[in-house]
């Protein structure tokens, strides 16, 4: 692939169609052209793996899952579906929800083959981050993928699974916890790294992870950026001079996210160019922007049908998340009027909008 082709691919990643987000249309699934969908990362893409480990970072209790038809909390850190649930449904893999790999009831090999999530809420690219939260590190998530491959190979044969893995898509979403729970909150990394050095450290961890995923046979790899961190309700509460009455986004932290996302995109471009003459020359690495869709929902709230954009739906909306958002918490009347479900995580409607903003990218990845 030439340099012009690379720029063409990357320019497509930036396509955004605002009118799609003004409503929540039913989107017809594509004719499936990928073999499976495998996800790594943090709470933005964890459908419930943390249910099965010893950590305080859980959400398998009410009011989480409020908008599922049976109102059963699944371990997703929102009131319903995640963006990756919408994506897997759209791919045509005949899955409405992406299951957590650690679910002990997940014994059907066909379920493994169509896709699972290895993600763990509270995780990050910095190996210190998951130790703070006692969750599954990114490296361990990759180990689980290797284990998943072995389970499939034992059932279906090595050659078939090698082909399957190459035709699957891989989605990586993490990084926010490395800043919010780690660098901004604890002194350990700040003593060793300037902000720019820490960003570069995280980028190197991402490239190492991608290289390892390529070595396992992955060929369609999607990396999500991070959101406008200064707009997370918890960040506003912690950093506003008046957390009750001055609830605007804090650009100091959102600008760090913008800088990081630019660095990430630059590194992914370099990686793609370096792959040309490698054994993985047919691999493609894509960037998906989640910053702009969330910023647009906040800045143009009424266009998207939102009324509250700086506080969460659960409890006061200022600090509640995980165990602080629980069955005795008050819940807003209509979560679809809120961008955030708790003080950190988007609502199902916001996740759906993020999915809609990425449709052109998703289609391009699946069909090429």
């Amino acid at each position: 692939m030439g340099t012009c082709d690379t720029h063409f691919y990357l320019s497509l990643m930036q396509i955004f169609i605002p009118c799609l987000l003004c409503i929540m249309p039913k989107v017809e699934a594509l004719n499936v052209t990928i073999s499976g969908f495998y996800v790594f990362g943090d709470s933005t893409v964890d459908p419930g793996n943390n249910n099965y480990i010893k950590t305080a970072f859980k959400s398998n209790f009410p009011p989480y899952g409020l908008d599922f038809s049976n109102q059963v909390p699944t371990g997703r850190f929102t009131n319903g579906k995640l963006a990756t649930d919408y994506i897997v449904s759209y791919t045509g893999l005949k899955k409405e929800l992406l299951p957590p790999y650690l679910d002990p009831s997940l014994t059907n090999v066909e379920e493994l083959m169509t896709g699972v999530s290895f993600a763990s809420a509270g995780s990050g690219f910095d190996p210190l981050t998951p130790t703070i939260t006692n969750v599954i590190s990114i490296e361990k998530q990759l180990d689980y993928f290797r284990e998943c491959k072995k389970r499939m190979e034992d059932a279906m044969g090595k050659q078939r699974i090698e082909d399957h893995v190459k035709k699957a898509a891989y989605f990586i979403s993490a990084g926010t916890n490395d800043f919010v729970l780690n660098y901004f909150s604890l002194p350990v990394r700040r003593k060793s790294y300037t902000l720019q050095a820490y960003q570069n450290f995280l980028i190197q961890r991402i490239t190492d992870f991608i290289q390892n995923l390529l070595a396992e046979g992955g060929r369609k790899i999607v990396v999500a950026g991070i959101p406008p961190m200064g707009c997370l309700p918890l960040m506003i509460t912690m950093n506003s001079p008046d957390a009750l009455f001055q609830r605007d986004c804090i650009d100091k932290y959102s600008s760090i996210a913008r800088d990081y996302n630019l660095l990430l995109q630059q590194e992914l471009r370099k990686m793609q160019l370096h792959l040309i003459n490698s054994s993985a020359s047919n691999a493609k690495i894509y960037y998906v922007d989640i910053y702009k869709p969330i910023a647009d929902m906040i800045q143009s709230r009424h266009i998207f049908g939102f009324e509250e954009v700086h506080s969460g739906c659960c409890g006061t909306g200022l600090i509640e998340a995980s165990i602080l958002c629980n069955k005795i918490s008050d819940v807003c009347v209509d979560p679809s009027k809120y961008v955030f479900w708790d003080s950190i995580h988007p609502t199902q409607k916001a996740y759906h909008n993020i999915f809609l903003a990425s449709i052109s990218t998703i289609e391009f990845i699946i069909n090429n």
Side-chain angles (χ1 to χ4, degrees), residues 35-39 88 93 95 97-101 106 108-118 148 152 164 168-169:
S35 59
F37 185 55
Y38 299 97
V39 175
V88 76
L93 286 167
K95 250 182 164 78
L97 297 173
L98 192 69
Y101 177 69
L106 201 67
N108 187 329
V109 174
E110 288 297 328
E111 277 286 317
L112 296 179
M113 291 186 70
T114 50
V116 292
S117 175
F118 305 95
C148 179
M152 293 188 292
H164 169 79

Side-chain angles (χ1 to χ4, degrees), residues 4-80:
C4 291
D5 290 333
T6 302
H7 289 311
F8 171 70
Y9 292 144
L10 290 164
S11 67
L12 284 173
M13 301 304 97
Q14 310 304 321
I15 295 174
F16 176 70
I17 308 174
C19 63
L20 281 175
L21 305 183
C22 300
I23 54 175
M24 288 185 69
K26 180 173 176 57
V27 181
E28 295 298 325
L30 296 171
N31 292 323
V32 63
T33 56
I34 59 171
S35 59
F37 185 55
Y38 299 97
V39 175
F40 307 85
D42 59 19
S43 58
T44 57
V45 289
D46 177 6
N49 283 307
N50 280 16
N51 298 354
Y52 309 102
I53 64 173
K54 292 182 179 179
T55 178
F57 279 68
K58 295 180 187 285
S59 60
N60 56 342
F61 42 79
Y64 288 98
L66 179 67
D67 285 329
F68 279 124
S69 57
N70 53 7
Q71 295 190 341
V72 172
T74 61
R76 290 166 172 82
F77 280 73
T78 186
N79 55 310

Side-chain angles (χ1 to χ4, degrees), residues 159-357:
Q159 186 58 55
R160 179 177 174 184
I161 298 308
E162 282 183 2
D163 293 339
H164 169 79
V165 165
K166 288 179 181 177
K167 293 176 182 176
Y170 303 84
F171 191 93
I172 306 164
S173 176
T176 304
N177 293 324
D178 294 312
F179 290 102
V180 174
L181 299 180
N182 189 343
Y183 193 83
F184 297 152
S185 301
L186 301 172
V188 178
R189 291 308 194 202
R190 292 199 305 273
K191 287 180 179 178
S192 304
Y193 295 91
T194 64
L195 179 58
Q196 185 174 357
Y198 188 67
Q199 290 175 324
N200 290 331
F201 167 70
L202 294 181
I203 299 295
Q204 183 59 54
R205 300 291 303 183
I206 296 170
T207 59
D208 291 345
F209 182 84
I210 293 172
Q211 291 289 0
N212 290 330
L213 193 52
L214 289 166
E216 293 300 321
R219 292 298 179 265
K220 291 185 177 184
I221 300 172
V222 186
V223 183
I226 60 175
M229 294 185 292
C231 296
L232 301 180
L234 181 63
M235 290 295 286
I236 296 172
T237 301
M238 292 172 61
N239 297 283
S240 172
D242 187 340
L244 288 177
F245 299 106
Q246 286 184 238
R247 296 202 60 81
D248 295 315
C249 294
I250 299 173
D251 193 60
K252 171 185 174 182
Y253 297 103
S254 294
S255 66
I256 291 170
R258 292 194 297 272
D259 292 343
Y260 170 85
N261 287 338
L262 284 174
L263 286 171
L264 176 59
Q265 291 174 76
Q266 290 167 7
E267 188 59 37
L268 296 181
R269 289 190 192 101
K270 290 179 187 175
M271 288 195 75
Q272 184 69 75
L273 289 171
H274 289 158
L275 287 173
I276 294 172
N277 297 316
S278 74
S279 59
S281 58
N282 61 336
K284 298 290 188 295
I285 304 171
Y286 305 88
Y287 172 79
V288 169
D289 179 21
I290 65 167
Y291 185 106
K292 189 177 190 310
I294 293 176
D296 286 344
M297 284 184 265
I298 291 168
Q299 292 165 8
S300 304
R301 68 188 76 177
H302 298 304
I303 293 175
F304 296 96
F306 293 112
E307 293 177 0
E308 177 53 61
V309 299
H310 293 128
S311 299
C313 169
C314 184
T316 63
L318 307 183
I319 59 169
E320 291 87 349
S322 188
I323 58 174
L324 295 180
C325 172
N326 53 58
K327 63 182 180 181
I328 65 171
S329 301
D330 291 330
V331 179
C332 66
V333 175
D334 185 357
S336 71
K337 301 296 184 184
Y338 283 66
V339 170
F340 293 98
W341 165 249
D342 59 20
S343 66
I344 301 172
H345 305 99
T347 56
Q348 174 178 261
K349 180 180 175 181
Y351 275 128
H352 189 255
N353 285 347
I354 292 168
F355 156 69
L356 290 176

